[in-house]
């Protein structure tokens, strides 16, 4: 077989496992950071400083009994977590995380550190994000439980409301870069202004970045927008009736979604794999990508353990009356600037 | 390879579409419709127009079907069997017109199938390439096809007003 094809297959498998491992690592850091914020130590018993805690959790989940409510819709009940996890993984396929490399001369032709360089990548991200809602809605409906149904309904309403602002924030970047390919968008952000400020879109459209991050939190159902699973009101929301590996899939999907939203944010607004100081060689770009994604993920966790949950009507009012107008005006302003400056 | 993928997706579309009308539960019908839209998007990818494929998923599978699902869930629409109206005898006129419509569709299908062997309109590779780029679609849509575009939007507006009028309750 062609070495380039093999390299590509290896890349696909590597990204798949990297995403799974990142979810495990995130669970560990989430618990540790939450503990620090609340002046506790967090998991400490399994392995040094509790680093093996995620493994223990996975083993525990695997050996739990798979329960299904008697009145549940069997097919949809089992399909829902699979849909959720698939959508979470699929979106990462179009995210570029490094420049072209030959792996130190191992390959004749350089490969791109990206699973698929689609020329409509930005729309693909948006399409897959909009499919993610089905997993949650179906889980809520098929469980045949009122808490699950309420969680599913809330999630559908929330995702529909925030998808608009999310798309408008993406559109602002699209206008700036004049391209839908994430790789081209990242490459547009190379270089510096005045030799110091990196040419990242976050400096051109800071409002767009903020709107994207807020809508991203709402899309991934994280606190302070975690209404679909608000435990004080809905037990556990859409996954109330799930146990064992089905529950684990929802859990996995949530964390992988966080990674994907952060990775897309890094590509769109924070210059992807480019080094802000222009000091490191280009083949180390993926390290910078990792650093930036980790910073955004830390921000996510930090926010979850700092801010209380909104009220549901506040969430809807905020989405439609604040975020959407702001995103629209931002898009118009960016478009106006692009027309003005060329 | 390509032709087998085409048959695979075509089979999924036909199967899913049959599933939409063959189901008693509205929830399952909606899901089969989503599946058929997804397979249709795969066909667009095969036709080298990723933009149409993604638009199909975003607009139909993503946005419109979520609303469908939302409505079905909110109304908690039960199985058709539970509805006594569903089993009422059908008037003769409806039966006759239904049969006529079925006949018409059958004739149309036969006519379409007899034309399968003929080659489609050949386009030169350059123009086929350019239409697949988003840039070009946007340009063509607002220049060459501006009239069709505007007419479509008026049509959708009419449909929207019609839906509002139909759904409005007398207060």
């Amino acid at each position: 077989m062609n070495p380039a094809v093999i390299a590509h297959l290896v890349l696909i498998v590597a990204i798949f496992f990297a995403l799974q491992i990142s979810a495990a690592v995130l669970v560990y850091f989430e618990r540790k950071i939450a503990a620090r914020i609340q002046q506790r130590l967090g998991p400490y018993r399994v392995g040094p400083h509790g680093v093996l805690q995620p493994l223990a959790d996975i083993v525990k989940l695997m050996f739990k009994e798979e329960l299904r409510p008697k009145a549940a819709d069997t097919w949809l009940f089992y399909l829902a977590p699979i849909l959720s996890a698939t959508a979470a993984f699929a979106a990462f396929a179009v995210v570029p995380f490094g420049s072209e490399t030959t792996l130190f001369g191992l390959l004749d032709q350089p490969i791109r550190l990206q699973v698929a360089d689609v020329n409509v990548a930005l729309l693909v991200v948006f399409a897959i994000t909009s499919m993610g809602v089905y997993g949650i809605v179906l889980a809520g409906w098929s469980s045949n439980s009122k808490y699950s149904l309420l969680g599913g309904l809330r999630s559908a309403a929330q995702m529909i409301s925030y998808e608009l602002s999310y798309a408008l924030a993406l559109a602002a970047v699209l206008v700036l870069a004049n391209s839908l390919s994430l790789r081209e968008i990242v490459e547009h952000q190379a270089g510096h202004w005045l030799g110091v400020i990196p040419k990242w879109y976050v400096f051109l459209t800071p409002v767009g970045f903020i709107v994207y991050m807020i809508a991203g939190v709402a899309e991934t159902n994280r606190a302070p927008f975690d209404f679909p699973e608000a435990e004080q009101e809905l037990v556990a929301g859409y996954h109330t009736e799930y146990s064992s590996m089905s529950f684990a899939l929802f859990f996995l999907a949530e964390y992988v979604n966080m990674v994907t939203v952060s990775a897309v944010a890094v590509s769109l607004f924070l210059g992807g794999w480019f080094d802000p100081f222009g000091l490191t060689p280009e083949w180390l770009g993926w390290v910078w990508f990792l650093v930036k994604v980790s910073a955004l993920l830390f921000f996510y966790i930090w926010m979850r353990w700092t801010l209380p949950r909104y009220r549901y009507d506040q969430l809807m009012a905020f989405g439609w009356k604040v975020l959407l107008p702001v995103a629209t005006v931002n898009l118009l302003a960016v478009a106006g600037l692009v027309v003005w400056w060329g | 390879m390509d032709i087998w993928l085409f048959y695979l997706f075509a089979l999924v579309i036909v199967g899913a579409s049959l599933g939409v009308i063959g189901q008693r539960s509205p929830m399952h019908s909606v899901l089969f419709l989503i599946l058929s839209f997804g397979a249709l998007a795969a066909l667009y990818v095969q036709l080298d127009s990723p933009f149409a494929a993604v638009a199909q998923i975003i607009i139909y599978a993503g946005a419109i079907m979520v609303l469908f699902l939302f409505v079905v869930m909110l109304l908690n629409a039960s199985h058709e069997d539970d509805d006594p109206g569903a089993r009422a005898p059908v008037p003769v006129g409806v039966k006759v017109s239904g049969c006529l419509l079925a006949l018409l569709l059958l004739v149309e299908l036969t006519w379409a199938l007899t034309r399968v062997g003929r080659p489609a309109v050949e386009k030169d590779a350059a123009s086929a390439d350019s239409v697949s780029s988003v840039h070009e679609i946007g340009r063509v849509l607002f220049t060459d096809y501006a009239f069709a575009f505007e007419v479509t939007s008026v049509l959708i507006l009419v449909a929207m007003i019609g839906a509002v009028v139909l759904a409005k309750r007398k207060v």
Side-chain angles (χ1 to χ4, degrees):
Chain A
M1 219 166 28
N2 188 342
V5 175
I6 296 175
H8 212 93
L9 287 177
V10 169
L11 190 69
I12 291 172
V13 175
I15 288 177
F16 182 67
F17 282 104
L19 278 174
Q20 281 181 323
I21 291 166
S22 74
V25 173
L26 260 179
V27 172
Y28 174 71
F29 277 104
E30 170 123 49
R31 294 179 67 168
K32 272 292 187 192
I33 294 169
R36 284 289 165 193
I37 287 173
Q38 297 166 350
Q39 305 206 333
R40 294 183 285 117
L41 283 173
Y44 218 87
R45 301 268 168 170
V46 195
H49 291 267
V51 286
L52 296 177
Q53 185 66 44
L55 274 180
D57 285 347
I58 293 168
V59 171
K60 182 196 79 177
L61 279 169
M62 270 161 58
F63 283 102
K64 271 186 153 184
E65 187 187 354
E66 184 89 54
L67 295 170
R68 181 172 64 82
K70 231 176 186 175
D73 190 314
T74 318
W75 276 93
L76 296 184
F77 189 77
Y78 288 122
L79 185 68
I82 297 172
L83 272 182
S84 253
T86 311
F89 277 102
F92 203 87
V94 294
V95 177
F97 56 92
S99 53
E100 292 186 338
T101 175
T102 56
L103 298 177
F104 309 106
L106 210 63
L107 300 166
D108 306 333
Q109 287 170 344
I111 59 159
R112 292 170 164 177
L113 288 179
Q114 179 181 20
V115 172
D117 188 12
V118 194
N119 62 357
V120 288
L122 204 53
L123 293 176
V124 170
V125 168
F126 187 55
I128 294 174
T129 320
S130 67
M131 298 308 284
V133 66
Y134 284 119
I136 292 176
V137 170
L138 288 181
W141 184 80
S142 67
S143 303
N144 209 349
S145 136
K146 54 179 172 287
Y147 297 119
S148 300
L149 185 67
L150 280 172
L153 279 175
R154 280 185 174 190
S155 146
Q158 177 177 331
M159 283 182 143
I160 291 170
S161 310
Y162 279 79
E163 235 163 47
L164 294 168
S165 318
Y166 188 79
L168 285 173
L170 292 183
V173 174
L174 162 65
V175 168
L176 281 173
N178 202 6
S179 164
L180 279 168
S181 154
L182 280 175
R183 173 163 293 275
E184 278 174 33
I185 290 173
V186 172
E187 278 163 0
H188 269 268
Q189 300 178 63
H192 294 76
W193 285 301
L194 308 172
V196 267
I197 310 166
K199 283 188 178 175
W200 295 352
Y201 287 146
V202 65
F203 299 116
L204 285 175
T205 165
V207 179
F209 179 63
I210 294 167
V211 169
Y212 177 88
M213 285 311 287
I214 295 175
V217 176
E219 288 279 317
T220 46
N221 298 319
R222 293 275 302 178
F225 298 131
D226 57 343
F227 292 93
E229 44 185 308
E231 57 265 25
Q232 290 85 348
E233 307 158 32
L234 299 178
V235 189
Y238 63 90
H239 57 60
T240 303
E241 304 292 346
Y242 283 88
S243 61
S244 187
M245 285 317 278
S246 303
F247 171 75
L249 278 177
F250 277 123
F251 210 61
L252 183 69
E254 179 182 328
Y255 283 95
V256 172
N257 266 328
M258 272 168 71
V259 176
T260 306
V261 166
S262 306
V264 172
V266 165
S267 304
L268 292 180
F269 297 100
L270 299 178
W273 63 83
F274 287 115
D275 159 15
F277 312 110
L279 296 175
T280 44
E282 203 174 4
W283 60 270
L284 273 177
W286 58 274
V287 176
W288 275 108
F289 182 81
L290 260 174
V291 168
K292 290 173 186 175
V293 170
S294 311
L296 283 185
L297 287 172
F298 174 75
F299 176 73
Y300 256 87
I301 294 172
W302 183 18
M303 193 157 66
R304 172 170 175 186
W305 297 101
T306 310
L307 298 175
R309 189 181 300 123
Y310 276 75
R311 224 170 50 219
Y312 192 64
D313 58 313
Q314 287 173 331
L315 167 92
M316 282 297 158
F318 179 72
W320 289 101
K321 293 182 185 163
V322 180
L323 212 56
L324 187 60
V326 167
T328 313
V329 170
N330 177 56
L331 175 61
L332 290 177
V334 168
L337 281 178
V338 167
V339 169
W340 189 261
W341 297 103
Chain B
M1 181 68 179
D2 272 5
I3 194 79
W4 289 112
L5 278 179
F6 168 78
Y7 280 124
L8 175 70
F9 288 125
L11 206 68
V12 171
I13 293 176
V14 173
S17 307
L18 286 177
V20 174
I21 49 173
Q23 289 294 318
R24 290 238 172 267
S25 151
M27 198 74 175
H28 290 172
S29 294
V30 169
L31 292 173
F32 271 119
L33 200 55
I34 296 167
L35 181 62
S36 124
F37 284 156
L40 198 60
L43 287 190
Y44 286 142
V45 171
Q46 276 208 306
L47 290 172
D48 239 352
S49 70
F51 179 73
V54 176
Q56 163 88 10
I57 290 188
I58 292 178
I59 296 169
Y60 287 100
I64 293 181
M65 294 321 287
V66 169
L67 278 181
F68 267 53
L69 209 63
F70 202 49
V71 170
V72 170
M73 271 170 72
L74 265 184
L75 298 179
N76 206 3
S78 45
H79 290 224
E80 279 174 23
D81 291 338
D82 305 340
D83 183 8
R87 286 269 167 261
V90 186
V92 182
V94 174
K95 274 185 185 166
V96 170
S97 49
C99 287
L100 277 178
L101 186 67
L103 198 67
L104 204 68
L105 285 175
L106 202 66
V107 170
E108 192 191 335
L109 189 67
T110 325
W111 181 75
L113 283 178
T114 52
R115 292 165 56 88
V116 161
R118 294 181 205 173
V121 185
E122 285 291 333
K123 275 187 183 173
D124 51 313
S127 81
D129 253 10
S130 65
V131 171
S132 65
S133 97
V134 181
H135 235 111
E136 209 46 34
I137 290 174
R139 202 188 58 75
V140 165
L141 202 60
F142 288 102
T143 53
D144 297 0
Y145 298 104
F147 180 70
F149 181 73
E150 292 297 332
V151 166
T152 313
S153 55
V154 170
L155 200 68
I156 292 172
L157 185 68
V158 169
M160 207 164 79
I161 294 171
V164 171
V165 170
L166 283 178
K168 203 182 88 176
R169 276 198 206 131
K170 290 199 175 64
V171 187

